[in-house]
mmCIF file of all heavy atoms in Angstrom:
data_model
loop_
_atom_site.group_PDB
_atom_site.id
_atom_site.type_symbol
_atom_site.label_atom_id
_atom_site.label_comp_id
_atom_site.label_asym_id
_atom_site.label_seq_id
_atom_site.Cartn_x
_atom_site.Cartn_y
_atom_site.Cartn_z
ATOM 1 N N LYS U 9 137.111 73.089 141.022
ATOM 2 C CA LYS U 9 137.443 74.330 141.721
ATOM 3 C C LYS U 9 138.965 74.406 141.808
ATOM 4 O O LYS U 9 139.632 73.389 142.031
ATOM 5 C CB LYS U 9 136.847 74.353 143.129
ATOM 6 C CG LYS U 9 135.330 74.490 143.154
ATOM 7 C CD LYS U 9 134.781 74.416 144.562
ATOM 8 C CE LYS U 9 134.954 75.686 145.368
ATOM 9 N NZ LYS U 9 133.954 76.719 145.068
ATOM 10 N N ALA U 10 139.522 75.582 141.631
ATOM 11 C CA ALA U 10 140.966 75.741 141.714
ATOM 12 C C ALA U 10 141.450 75.422 143.129
ATOM 13 O O ALA U 10 140.783 75.769 144.109
ATOM 14 C CB ALA U 10 141.364 77.164 141.349
ATOM 15 N N PRO U 11 142.614 74.765 143.276
ATOM 16 C CA PRO U 11 143.153 74.512 144.626
ATOM 17 C C PRO U 11 143.361 75.781 145.443
ATOM 18 O O PRO U 11 143.343 75.736 146.674
ATOM 19 C CB PRO U 11 144.478 73.803 144.336
ATOM 20 C CG PRO U 11 144.261 73.119 143.017
ATOM 21 C CD PRO U 11 143.404 74.086 142.236
ATOM 22 N N SER U 12 143.520 76.923 144.780
ATOM 23 C CA SER U 12 143.706 78.190 145.493
ATOM 24 C C SER U 12 142.432 78.678 146.175
ATOM 25 O O SER U 12 142.454 79.687 146.881
ATOM 26 C CB SER U 12 144.216 79.268 144.526
ATOM 27 O OG SER U 12 143.353 79.395 143.410
ATOM 28 N N THR U 13 141.311 77.973 145.997
ATOM 29 C CA THR U 13 140.073 78.332 146.701
ATOM 30 C C THR U 13 140.090 77.895 148.164
ATOM 31 O O THR U 13 139.264 78.358 148.950
ATOM 32 C CB THR U 13 138.842 77.692 146.034
ATOM 33 O OG1 THR U 13 138.998 76.270 146.029
ATOM 34 C CG2 THR U 13 138.660 78.184 144.613
ATOM 35 N N LEU U 14 141.005 77.009 148.530
ATOM 36 C CA LEU U 14 140.997 76.441 149.876
ATOM 37 C C LEU U 14 141.147 77.531 150.937
ATOM 38 O O LEU U 14 141.940 78.464 150.788
ATOM 39 C CB LEU U 14 142.129 75.427 150.007
ATOM 40 C CG LEU U 14 141.862 74.237 150.942
ATOM 41 C CD1 LEU U 14 140.725 73.388 150.389
ATOM 42 C CD2 LEU U 14 143.117 73.400 151.110
ATOM 43 N N SER U 15 140.390 77.405 152.027
ATOM 44 C CA SER U 15 140.397 78.398 153.091
ATOM 45 C C SER U 15 140.103 77.709 154.410
ATOM 46 O O SER U 15 139.564 76.589 154.441
ATOM 47 C CB SER U 15 139.347 79.476 152.805
ATOM 48 O OG SER U 15 139.369 80.503 153.771
ATOM 49 N N GLY U 16 140.459 78.362 155.514
ATOM 50 C CA GLY U 16 140.207 77.810 156.834
ATOM 51 C C GLY U 16 138.760 77.965 157.268
ATOM 52 O O GLY U 16 138.002 78.759 156.707
ATOM 53 N N PRO U 17 138.360 77.234 158.311
ATOM 54 C CA PRO U 17 136.952 77.194 158.718
ATOM 55 C C PRO U 17 136.454 78.436 159.424
ATOM 56 O O PRO U 17 135.241 78.606 159.583
ATOM 57 C CB PRO U 17 136.904 75.984 159.658
ATOM 58 C CG PRO U 17 138.285 75.912 160.238
ATOM 59 C CD PRO U 17 139.198 76.321 159.121
ATOM 60 N N TYR U 18 137.371 79.309 159.864
ATOM 61 C CA TYR U 18 136.966 80.521 160.570
ATOM 62 C C TYR U 18 137.575 81.772 159.953
ATOM 63 O O TYR U 18 137.470 82.863 160.531
ATOM 64 C CB TYR U 18 137.365 80.416 162.054
ATOM 65 C CG TYR U 18 136.922 79.127 162.703
ATOM 66 C CD1 TYR U 18 137.853 78.224 163.210
ATOM 67 C CD2 TYR U 18 135.577 78.794 162.802
ATOM 68 C CE1 TYR U 18 137.453 77.030 163.798
ATOM 69 C CE2 TYR U 18 135.164 77.599 163.374
ATOM 70 C CZ TYR U 18 136.112 76.723 163.874
ATOM 71 O OH TYR U 18 135.703 75.535 164.446
ATOM 72 N N ASP U 19 138.203 81.629 158.801
ATOM 73 C CA ASP U 19 138.828 82.772 158.136
ATOM 74 C C ASP U 19 137.787 83.548 157.338
ATOM 75 O O ASP U 19 137.022 82.954 156.559
ATOM 76 C CB ASP U 19 139.938 82.307 157.191
ATOM 77 C CG ASP U 19 141.100 81.649 157.918
ATOM 78 O OD1 ASP U 19 141.271 81.928 159.124
ATOM 79 O OD2 ASP U 19 141.826 80.858 157.292
ATOM 80 N N ASP U 20 137.761 84.855 157.489
ATOM 81 C CA ASP U 20 136.848 85.665 156.699
ATOM 82 C C ASP U 20 137.089 85.453 155.211
ATOM 83 O O ASP U 20 138.216 85.192 154.768
ATOM 84 C CB ASP U 20 137.020 87.147 157.036
ATOM 85 C CG ASP U 20 136.489 87.492 158.420
ATOM 86 O OD1 ASP U 20 135.744 86.676 159.001
ATOM 87 O OD2 ASP U 20 136.820 88.576 158.919
ATOM 88 N N VAL U 21 136.021 85.552 154.440
ATOM 89 C CA VAL U 21 136.091 85.356 152.991
ATOM 90 C C VAL U 21 135.806 86.691 152.301
ATOM 91 O O VAL U 21 134.711 87.245 152.452
ATOM 92 C CB VAL U 21 135.072 84.299 152.516
ATOM 93 C CG1 VAL U 21 135.121 84.155 150.990
ATOM 94 C CG2 VAL U 21 135.346 82.959 153.190
ATOM 95 N N PRO U 22 136.758 87.229 151.554
ATOM 96 C CA PRO U 22 136.507 88.507 150.873
ATOM 97 C C PRO U 22 135.583 88.324 149.676
ATOM 98 O O PRO U 22 135.727 87.378 148.909
ATOM 99 C CB PRO U 22 137.906 88.945 150.432
ATOM 100 C CG PRO U 22 138.683 87.664 150.305
ATOM 101 C CD PRO U 22 138.131 86.734 151.340
ATOM 102 N N LYS U 23 134.633 89.217 149.539
ATOM 103 C CA LYS U 23 133.770 89.207 148.356
ATOM 104 C C LYS U 23 134.582 89.756 147.176
ATOM 105 O O LYS U 23 135.079 90.882 147.227
ATOM 106 C CB LYS U 23 132.540 90.076 148.586
ATOM 107 C CG LYS U 23 131.588 90.123 147.401
ATOM 108 C CD LYS U 23 130.402 91.022 147.714
ATOM 109 C CE LYS U 23 129.453 91.086 146.521
ATOM 110 N NZ LYS U 23 130.075 91.770 145.357
ATOM 111 N N PRO U 24 134.738 88.967 146.103
ATOM 112 C CA PRO U 24 135.516 89.454 144.961
ATOM 113 C C PRO U 24 134.897 90.711 144.348
ATOM 114 O O PRO U 24 133.669 90.854 144.298
ATOM 115 C CB PRO U 24 135.473 88.277 143.976
ATOM 116 C CG PRO U 24 135.176 87.076 144.822
ATOM 117 C CD PRO U 24 134.285 87.577 145.911
ATOM 118 N N ALA U 25 135.743 91.581 143.866
ATOM 119 C CA ALA U 25 135.268 92.856 143.313
ATOM 120 C C ALA U 25 134.311 92.649 142.141
ATOM 121 O O ALA U 25 133.372 93.425 141.953
ATOM 122 C CB ALA U 25 136.464 93.705 142.885
ATOM 123 N N LYS U 26 134.524 91.610 141.363
ATOM 124 C CA LYS U 26 133.702 91.375 140.173
ATOM 125 C C LYS U 26 132.525 90.432 140.427
ATOM 126 O O LYS U 26 131.740 90.157 139.521
ATOM 127 C CB LYS U 26 134.571 90.795 139.052
ATOM 128 C CG LYS U 26 135.727 91.699 138.604
ATOM 129 C CD LYS U 26 135.243 92.965 137.951
ATOM 130 C CE LYS U 26 136.399 93.784 137.400
ATOM 131 N NZ LYS U 26 135.946 95.059 136.791
ATOM 132 N N ALA U 27 132.414 89.925 141.645
ATOM 133 C CA ALA U 27 131.329 88.988 141.945
ATOM 134 C C ALA U 27 130.023 89.744 142.133
ATOM 135 O O ALA U 27 129.924 90.637 142.976
ATOM 136 C CB ALA U 27 131.666 88.186 143.199
ATOM 137 N N GLU U 28 129.020 89.413 141.352
ATOM 138 C CA GLU U 28 127.729 90.088 141.410
ATOM 139 C C GLU U 28 126.660 89.268 142.139
ATOM 140 O O GLU U 28 125.703 89.831 142.661
ATOM 141 C CB GLU U 28 127.239 90.366 139.986
ATOM 142 C CG GLU U 28 128.177 91.250 139.170
ATOM 143 C CD GLU U 28 127.729 91.370 137.717
ATOM 144 O OE1 GLU U 28 126.648 90.831 137.389
ATOM 145 O OE2 GLU U 28 128.462 91.994 136.925
ATOM 146 N N LYS U 29 126.835 87.938 142.163
ATOM 147 C CA LYS U 29 125.803 87.060 142.717
ATOM 148 C C LYS U 29 126.465 85.968 143.553
ATOM 149 O O LYS U 29 126.353 84.782 143.270
ATOM 150 C CB LYS U 29 124.964 86.435 141.584
ATOM 151 C CG LYS U 29 124.227 87.456 140.721
ATOM 152 C CD LYS U 29 123.440 86.767 139.615
ATOM 153 C CE LYS U 29 122.678 87.779 138.766
ATOM 154 N NZ LYS U 29 121.905 87.094 137.675
ATOM 155 N N MET U 30 127.138 86.384 144.630
ATOM 156 C CA MET U 30 127.873 85.445 145.475
ATOM 157 C C MET U 30 126.899 84.630 146.322
ATOM 158 O O MET U 30 126.022 85.169 146.991
ATOM 159 C CB MET U 30 128.852 86.218 146.365
ATOM 160 C CG MET U 30 129.797 85.344 147.153
ATOM 161 S SD MET U 30 131.005 86.374 148.044
ATOM 162 C CE MET U 30 131.850 85.131 149.007
ATOM 163 N N ASP U 31 127.088 83.317 146.310
ATOM 164 C CA ASP U 31 126.127 82.386 146.902
ATOM 165 C C ASP U 31 126.853 81.383 147.797
ATOM 166 O O ASP U 31 128.068 81.206 147.713
ATOM 167 C CB ASP U 31 125.375 81.660 145.788
ATOM 168 C CG ASP U 31 123.991 81.180 146.192
ATOM 169 O OD1 ASP U 31 123.668 81.194 147.393
ATOM 170 O OD2 ASP U 31 123.229 80.783 145.289
ATOM 171 N N TRP U 32 126.098 80.699 148.644
ATOM 172 C CA TRP U 32 126.614 79.717 149.595
ATOM 173 C C TRP U 32 126.149 78.311 149.208
ATOM 174 O O TRP U 32 125.092 78.136 148.587
ATOM 175 C CB TRP U 32 126.105 80.057 150.999
ATOM 176 C CG TRP U 32 124.590 80.134 151.057
ATOM 177 C CD1 TRP U 32 123.702 79.103 151.229
ATOM 178 C CD2 TRP U 32 123.777 81.310 150.905
ATOM 179 N NE1 TRP U 32 122.405 79.560 151.201
ATOM 180 C CE2 TRP U 32 122.421 80.899 151.010
ATOM 181 C CE3 TRP U 32 124.067 82.671 150.714
ATOM 182 C CZ2 TRP U 32 121.360 81.808 150.919
ATOM 183 C CZ3 TRP U 32 123.012 83.561 150.624
ATOM 184 C CH2 TRP U 32 121.682 83.144 150.728
ATOM 185 N N GLU U 33 126.895 77.281 149.605
ATOM 186 C CA GLU U 33 126.504 75.887 149.366
ATOM 187 C C GLU U 33 127.229 74.999 150.369
ATOM 188 O O GLU U 33 128.402 74.665 150.176
ATOM 189 C CB GLU U 33 126.865 75.433 147.946
ATOM 190 C CG GLU U 33 126.165 76.172 146.829
ATOM 191 C CD GLU U 33 126.432 75.547 145.464
ATOM 192 O OE1 GLU U 33 126.334 74.311 145.346
ATOM 193 O OE2 GLU U 33 126.753 76.295 144.528
ATOM 194 N N VAL U 34 126.566 74.591 151.447
ATOM 195 C CA VAL U 34 127.172 73.672 152.390
ATOM 196 C C VAL U 34 127.259 72.276 151.766
ATOM 197 O O VAL U 34 126.313 71.822 151.116
ATOM 198 C CB VAL U 34 126.379 73.632 153.711
ATOM 199 C CG1 VAL U 34 124.929 73.205 153.508
ATOM 200 C CG2 VAL U 34 127.061 72.733 154.730
ATOM 201 N N GLU U 35 128.408 71.607 151.951
ATOM 202 C CA GLU U 35 128.613 70.316 151.298
ATOM 203 C C GLU U 35 129.477 69.383 152.151
ATOM 204 O O GLU U 35 130.326 69.824 152.934
ATOM 205 C CB GLU U 35 129.286 70.499 149.933
ATOM 206 C CG GLU U 35 128.546 71.470 149.029
ATOM 207 C CD GLU U 35 128.838 71.286 147.548
ATOM 208 O OE1 GLU U 35 129.554 70.328 147.186
ATOM 209 O OE2 GLU U 35 128.352 72.120 146.760
ATOM 210 N N LEU U 36 129.252 68.102 151.947
ATOM 211 C CA LEU U 36 130.117 67.056 152.475
ATOM 212 C C LEU U 36 131.307 66.886 151.540
ATOM 213 O O LEU U 36 131.132 66.764 150.317
ATOM 214 C CB LEU U 36 129.339 65.738 152.554
ATOM 215 C CG LEU U 36 130.149 64.481 152.852
ATOM 216 C CD1 LEU U 36 130.627 64.472 154.299
ATOM 217 C CD2 LEU U 36 129.322 63.236 152.553
ATOM 218 N N GLY U 37 132.520 66.895 152.102
ATOM 219 C CA GLY U 37 133.721 66.696 151.296
ATOM 220 C C GLY U 37 134.354 65.346 151.570
ATOM 221 O O GLY U 37 134.399 64.873 152.717
ATOM 222 N N ILE U 38 134.838 64.702 150.523
ATOM 223 C CA ILE U 38 135.557 63.429 150.599
ATOM 224 C C ILE U 38 137.037 63.697 150.352
ATOM 225 O O ILE U 38 137.385 64.370 149.381
ATOM 226 C CB ILE U 38 135.056 62.440 149.522
ATOM 227 C CG1 ILE U 38 133.561 62.147 149.677
ATOM 228 C CG2 ILE U 38 135.865 61.146 149.543
ATOM 229 C CD1 ILE U 38 132.969 61.393 148.480
ATOM 230 N N VAL U 39 137.896 63.159 151.200
ATOM 231 C CA VAL U 39 139.334 63.237 150.975
ATOM 232 C C VAL U 39 139.829 61.861 150.537
ATOM 233 O O VAL U 39 139.607 60.862 151.228
ATOM 234 C CB VAL U 39 140.082 63.713 152.235
ATOM 235 C CG1 VAL U 39 141.588 63.694 152.005
ATOM 236 C CG2 VAL U 39 139.624 65.118 152.615
ATOM 237 N N ILE U 40 140.468 61.821 149.387
ATOM 238 C CA ILE U 40 140.965 60.566 148.827
ATOM 239 C C ILE U 40 142.268 60.176 149.525
ATOM 240 O O ILE U 40 143.150 61.010 149.735
ATOM 241 C CB ILE U 40 141.184 60.705 147.303
ATOM 242 C CG1 ILE U 40 139.867 61.092 146.606
ATOM 243 C CG2 ILE U 40 141.757 59.415 146.717
ATOM 244 C CD1 ILE U 40 138.754 60.081 146.752
ATOM 245 N N GLY U 41 142.384 58.893 149.871
ATOM 246 C CA GLY U 41 143.559 58.432 150.592
ATOM 247 C C GLY U 41 144.474 57.524 149.805
ATOM 248 O O GLY U 41 145.645 57.364 150.171
ATOM 249 N N LYS U 42 143.959 56.928 148.721
ATOM 250 C CA LYS U 42 144.758 55.995 147.921
ATOM 251 C C LYS U 42 144.515 56.254 146.440
ATOM 252 O O LYS U 42 143.431 56.718 146.056
ATOM 253 C CB LYS U 42 144.377 54.547 148.246
ATOM 254 C CG LYS U 42 144.628 54.133 149.681
ATOM 255 C CD LYS U 42 144.163 52.707 149.921
ATOM 256 C CE LYS U 42 144.395 52.291 151.371
ATOM 257 N NZ LYS U 42 143.908 50.916 151.637
ATOM 258 N N PRO U 43 145.495 55.959 145.581
ATOM 259 C CA PRO U 43 145.261 56.112 144.139
ATOM 260 C C PRO U 43 144.039 55.315 143.707
ATOM 261 O O PRO U 43 143.823 54.190 144.168
ATOM 262 C CB PRO U 43 146.549 55.557 143.518
ATOM 263 C CG PRO U 43 147.575 55.680 144.581
ATOM 264 C CD PRO U 43 146.846 55.468 145.882
ATOM 265 N N CYS U 44 143.267 55.911 142.834
ATOM 266 C CA CYS U 44 141.956 55.354 142.508
ATOM 267 C C CYS U 44 141.718 55.513 141.013
ATOM 268 O O CYS U 44 141.582 56.632 140.511
ATOM 269 C CB CYS U 44 140.910 56.109 143.331
ATOM 270 S SG CYS U 44 139.241 55.482 143.228
ATOM 271 N N ARG U 45 141.670 54.396 140.299
ATOM 272 C CA ARG U 45 141.469 54.437 138.852
ATOM 273 C C ARG U 45 140.555 53.288 138.445
ATOM 274 O O ARG U 45 140.840 52.124 138.726
ATOM 275 C CB ARG U 45 142.810 54.323 138.122
ATOM 276 C CG ARG U 45 142.717 54.401 136.599
ATOM 277 C CD ARG U 45 144.059 54.146 135.919
ATOM 278 N NE ARG U 45 145.089 55.090 136.336
ATOM 279 C CZ ARG U 45 146.138 54.745 137.095
ATOM 280 N NH1 ARG U 45 146.276 53.497 137.524
ATOM 281 N NH2 ARG U 45 147.044 55.653 137.416
#
C-alpha cells in the first residue's frame, strides 16, 4: 500500500471518484523497530 494511504483513526475517509467497489478490512498492524534482514 502506498505510504500516502495513512490516515488518522477518526478522520473521515473520502470515497474516491473512480472507486466502484469500496470495501473494509479490519487488521492487526505490526510496526518494525529494528532493521530486519
Side-chain angles (χ1 to χ4, degrees):
K9 290 176 77 80
S12 55
T13 59
L14 212 65
S15 183
Y18 310 118
D19 295 337
D20 289 345
V21 178
K23 180 181 179 293
K26 300 294 185 182
E28 300 174 4
K29 299 179 179 180
M30 188 175 174
D31 206 348
W32 56 85
E33 297 188 46
V34 59
E35 306 202 5
L36 170 71
I38 301 169
V39 176
I40 301 298
K42 298 177 181 178
C44 186
R45 182 186 301 110

